[in-house]
Amino acid sequence: MENKHLETEAALVRKILGYGSNTPLDSNHPVLVEDWEHSWEGNPEDQQAYNFSYILNPSGTIRWFFPSDTQYPAYLSLYNSAHLKARVYKLCTHAAFALKLQKKLFSGSFSIKTSKLPFQDLLKALDAETYAVFTGTVGENRKSVAAIYRNKSVSHFVKLSHTEKAKEILANEEKILKYLGELPFFRLEHPRVHPDSKKGCLILSNIKPTPAREVARLEDMHIEVLGEIYKFTAREEIMASSNFYREIHENLSRICTREVSDPSINNPVLHRIIDNLIKLTKGISPAKFFQTSLAHGDFTPWNMYLSDNYVHLYDWELSRRGLPLFFDLYHYMYQSGVLLLRQNYEQILREISRSLRLPHSKRLCKQYSLDLQFYHKLYLIYIISYYLRIYMDEESVHMQVHWLMDIWDQALQHTH
């Protein structure tokens, strides 16, 4: 890794382990080197070394880090295994730890020498024995997530924001979860907020069941949970006065006035998507009434577990009120279909059709008198306009963005 890259990594690790401390993070401090040692603060005579191992992303940045003396793969709790490749990786990792060969999995190690490691205070408060940290995905919502272990199982997850936008979405998640905690759900299980949470640091209970199922295809119990949410939050709105309608137009306005940062997406597909988005939006009457509710916002296989009787749903950061009914259903179909199952558009349509024939889907359609084609259209307009303005600002988009754009292009043409 290059020194500049390592300097960024050093600052990030220091920020996470500093847990909100005022320790400077500027480049005057020593930067990372392979198998680096890093002196933080305090009297040298009082300092002790904290040793960590890490695993890199393909890009060369740190993906996970954890205490080097860990005897089990704690970092796997931060890794979703809803598809076959991920499940194989988990099995191989557990086997390596069982055979005491785990060091062969690690990319490197580092140590921090200090008389005080602020993150240790949090560990003591949570009665933790060890932890693992996912450093987060680069972007405006970047945050790190630490899995806190007690008695060899995860007791809590700690989310640490790295941007102002990340602080906002963590504050939103905290508010939503506290609201949900007041409602009597039958099938839905969601995290609880720990009282030691603070701005930019959200501590949540672990809701992973034992045993847990991770599935890529929507089941009837998913729809039943959506129905429970609608029971408490559904309302009828008129399009012209809704935040939903306003946000669509704001997104389109930004898209039409911005330059594309990554030349790889500045192609005919992008321009066709924008043209069709505008046409589709113009076809929606401002006087139209529609049903809205609280939506999870990222209702995907990697944000939930299933048990026999419950959907255990986490990562409520993007949750908000005022989204059209079945927004979460359509989001699950597209995200799972494109990113997990690598389906083409015709296959995704067949999965949507199957999901809408499930018993609870039929019940909700009848109860709320839903025009499914119209609600599908509303989902596409909102989600594409929302993410397109983000992708247009990114200097280099991930290959998955191209996958999504190809499917969006087909979906918008089909919807017309």
Side-chain angles (χ1 to χ4, degrees):
M1 292 186 288
E2 298 179 358
N3 282 346
K4 186 176 180 181
H5 207 171
L6 292 168
E7 187 171 326
T8 302
E9 295 293 281
L12 179 62
V13 169
R14 287 168 55 79
K15 184 173 183 180
I16 294 167
L17 297 177
Y19 179 52
S21 73
N22 294 320
T23 305
L25 299 175
D26 59 49
S27 58
N28 292 326
H29 290 272
V31 298
L32 303 180
V33 295
E34 294 295 345
D35 297 320
W36 49 280
E37 291 189 354
H38 182 59
S39 180
W40 196 334
E41 62 178 11
N43 188 328
E45 296 180 359
D46 297 330
Q47 289 184 351
Q48 70 177 89
Y50 295 88
N51 301 311
F52 298 90
S53 296
Y54 60 88
I55 295 176
L56 296 176
N57 288 304
S59 62
T61 56
I62 294 177
R63 181 173 190 176
W64 298 304
F65 71 89
F66 37 85
S68 294
D69 61 358
T70 185
Q71 298 301 306
Y72 44 91
Y75 58 93
L76 288 183
S77 61
L78 301 163
Y79 183 65
N80 188 281
S81 57
H83 54 91
L84 179 60
K85 184 178 178 180
R87 289 196 290 270
V88 171
Y89 177 81
K90 277 194 170 184
L91 286 172
C92 292
T93 301
H94 280 291
F97 270 81
L99 296 170
K100 307 296 183 183
L101 299 174
Q102 62 266 34
K103 288 186 178 180
K104 293 184 179 296
L105 302 173
F106 305 158
S107 304
S109 61
F110 62 86
S111 64
I112 291 179
K113 294 180 180 179
T114 179
S115 57
K116 179 178 175 59
L117 192 65
F119 199 75
Q120 295 296 118
D121 294 337
L122 175 62
L123 299 179
K124 291 178 182 177
L126 297 176
D127 193 24
E129 62 192 27
T130 191
Y131 60 95
V133 177
F134 169 61
T135 63
T137 304
V138 175
E140 66 176 9
N141 293 343
R142 186 167 190 176
K143 63 186 180 303
S144 296
V145 183
I148 307 299
Y149 272 73
R150 183 192 301 160
N151 299 325
K152 295 187 177 182
S153 62
V154 180
S155 61
H156 296 85
F157 288 100
V158 179
K159 296 185 175 184
L160 298 162
S161 63
H162 298 310
T163 66
E164 287 303 314
K165 184 65 176 179
K167 284 183 181 178
E168 290 178 15
I169 63 175
L170 290 188
N172 178 66
E173 181 171 22
E174 180 176 6
K175 181 179 70 173
I176 292 293
L177 288 175
K178 287 181 176 178
Y179 167 70
L180 295 175
E182 299 173 356
L183 302 177
F185 292 110
F186 179 61
R187 294 291 188 196
L188 174 63
E189 179 72 18
H190 59 81
R192 305 290 168 165
V193 178
H194 192 279
D196 285 347
S197 297
K198 61 183 181 181
K199 186 176 182 181
C201 175
L202 184 60
I203 307 172
L204 302 173
S205 62
N206 178 29
I207 59 169
K208 183 177 180 179
T210 303
R213 289 196 297 127
E214 297 172 272
V215 299
R217 300 186 74 198
L218 201 74
E219 299 182 5
D220 197 41
M221 191 159 59
H222 292 104
I223 313 299
E224 187 176 4
V225 161
L226 295 182
E228 287 190 334
I229 296 173
Y230 300 164
K231 176 182 177 181
F232 299 111
T233 65
R235 55 177 291 189
E236 187 176 63
E237 297 189 51
I238 189 169
M239 194 65 69
S241 59
S242 68
N243 287 331
F244 174 80
Y245 193 67
R246 174 183 56 79
E247 288 176 23
I248 287 173
H249 284 275
E250 287 178 356
N251 289 337
L252 286 174
S253 177
R254 292 177 186 176
I255 288 170
C256 293
T257 56
R258 289 187 179 185
E259 297 293 329
V260 183
S261 298
D262 184 350
S264 73
I265 63 170
N266 192 5
N267 55 36
V269 171
L270 172 66
H271 300 292
R272 190 163 57 240
I273 288 174
I274 294 173
D275 288 343
N276 285 330
L277 271 177
I278 293 171
K279 291 176 184 176
L280 209 56
T281 304
K282 286 182 177 179
I284 298 176
S285 169
K288 177 82 171 178
F289 284 88
F290 69 121
Q291 297 285 346
T292 70
S293 72
L294 174 73
H296 179 273
D298 198 14
F299 195 78
T300 55
W302 49 88
N303 284 332
M304 64 181 70
Y305 298 104
L306 267 61
S307 60
D308 289 342
N309 298 309
Y310 301 96
V311 174
H312 306 255
L313 186 57
Y314 53 94
D315 276 355
W316 291 78
E317 300 164 3
L318 301 181
S319 178
R320 50 155 296 178
R321 295 176 180 270
L323 290 178
L325 263 59
F326 278 11
F327 180 95
D328 284 335
L329 180 150
Y330 289 119
H331 195 64
Y332 191 106
M333 294 290 99
Y334 278 94
Q335 293 291 298
S336 177
V338 176
L339 303 181
L340 286 184
L341 303 176
R342 292 297 292 121
Q343 294 173 329
N344 60 38
Y345 181 61
E346 293 301 322
Q347 290 172 317
I348 291 173
L349 276 185
R350 286 197 292 270
E351 275 296 292
I352 290 174
S353 179
R354 179 194 65 81
S355 71
L356 293 174
R357 293 195 301 270
L358 293 171
H360 280 92
S361 294
K362 290 182 177 180
R363 180 182 64 80
L364 291 174
C365 288
K366 182 177 181 181
Q367 179 179 349
Y368 294 101
S369 303
L370 300 182
D371 177 347
L372 294 175
Q373 185 176 5
F374 177 67
Y375 282 82
H376 187 183
K377 183 187 301 185
L378 294 183
Y379 166 76
L380 289 172
I381 293 173
Y382 183 89
I383 206 70
I384 297 173
S385 64
Y386 175 83
Y387 279 107
L388 208 57
R389 68 176 178 84
I390 294 175
Y391 297 153
M392 288 174 68
D393 284 341
E394 294 183 2
E395 293 184 3
S396 178
V397 302
H398 194 278
M399 179 58 67
Q400 292 176 337
V401 172
H402 294 278
W403 300 348
L404 284 166
M405 287 180 61
D406 286 341
I407 294 297
W408 291 344
D409 181 34
Q410 296 175 59
L412 289 173
Q413 293 184 69
H414 182 272
T415 304
H416 283 296

